Amino acid sequence: MLALLAGVAAYTVLFTMLLACAEHLAEPSALSRALAAHRVIPATRAVAAAVIASEGLLGVAGVVALLRDGGRPLTAALAGSGALLVLYVGYGLRLRFLGRSGPCGCSRLELPMTGWVVARAAILAGLALLALAWADSIVPLTRPGAQLAIVLIAAATFTLLLWHLPAAMHEHHRRGGLPGWVSRPAR
């Protein structure tokens, strides 16, 4: 059972890193515009480029490691992904604390920075930690079978659900479905 949980966690984190990089590459200026709107970080273009490169490198490194039976490269990719996600959580919490608003910069969509963006990053950081704890039991892509199929289907599902969570909850809040403190954009 731990192998399934660790596998779903690892693949979800890595799929999210790849999806985030692809979204950023589809609209490269979205992240730097969002960072500039937040007025917290200088050199927003350089930071945005570093973030996009990190997401892509970590996602690709993790998948390549899974194609080679995991090991230390997988552990390194998961640790790096977890660290990047913790930075996202910290940055999001700082913005919320400062009352700064603007788009989250997560994708091509102009979604506001809400608590749901921070929650998604925190969930993904937790999944990275879970995957790290049982990294040796993660089913690599080189061992096809029912267990790998279950892990891949579950991870793809969780990746898509987590990716769309902030947008779905923002739309739900706009229609009056949630209390303001949950999904109200920072000011």
Side-chain angles (χ1 to χ4, degrees):
M1 187 63 153
L2 286 178
L4 282 174
L5 290 175
V8 170
Y11 283 91
T12 299
V13 168
L14 296 174
F15 289 167
T16 301
M17 289 289 117
L18 293 171
L19 181 58
C21 180
E23 280 282 325
H24 286 129
L25 289 175
E27 181 62 43
S29 63
L31 181 57
S32 61
R33 282 194 318 266
L35 293 173
H38 300 154
R39 302 176 329 268
V40 173
I41 294 177
T44 57
R45 285 186 185 178
V47 171
V51 165
I52 295 167
S54 296
E55 290 170 343
L57 289 172
L58 290 166
V60 167
V63 171
V64 167
L66 288 165
L67 286 167
R68 296 184 175 166
D69 290 334
R72 288 185 184 191
L74 176 61
T75 302
L78 289 170
S81 296
L84 184 61
L85 290 161
V86 167
L87 286 173
Y88 291 171
V89 172
Y91 182 77
L93 289 173
R94 176 136 173 91
L95 287 179
R96 308 271 307 153
F97 176 76
L98 293 173
R100 300 283 168 89
S101 65
C104 69
C106 306
S107 67
R108 298 176 306 217
L109 301 175
E110 291 287 330
L111 293 173
M113 176 60 83
T114 66
W116 291 107
V117 174
V118 178
R120 175 180 59 192
I123 291 166
L124 287 164
L127 289 174
L129 182 63
L130 174 72
L132 273 171
W134 289 285
D136 292 339
S137 65
I138 295 170
V139 180
L141 291 166
T142 56
R143 276 194 249 145
Q147 186 176 11
L148 179 61
I150 291 167
V151 166
L152 290 174
I153 290 168
T157 302
F158 287 130
T159 299
L160 291 175
L161 288 172
L162 284 170
W163 189 257
H164 291 289
L165 175 70
M169 298 315 290
H170 175 65
E171 181 63 26
H172 187 68
H173 172 68
R174 277 187 40 226
R175 294 181 182 188
L178 290 172
W181 65 269
V182 176
S183 59
R184 178 180 345 123
R187 291 185 210 6

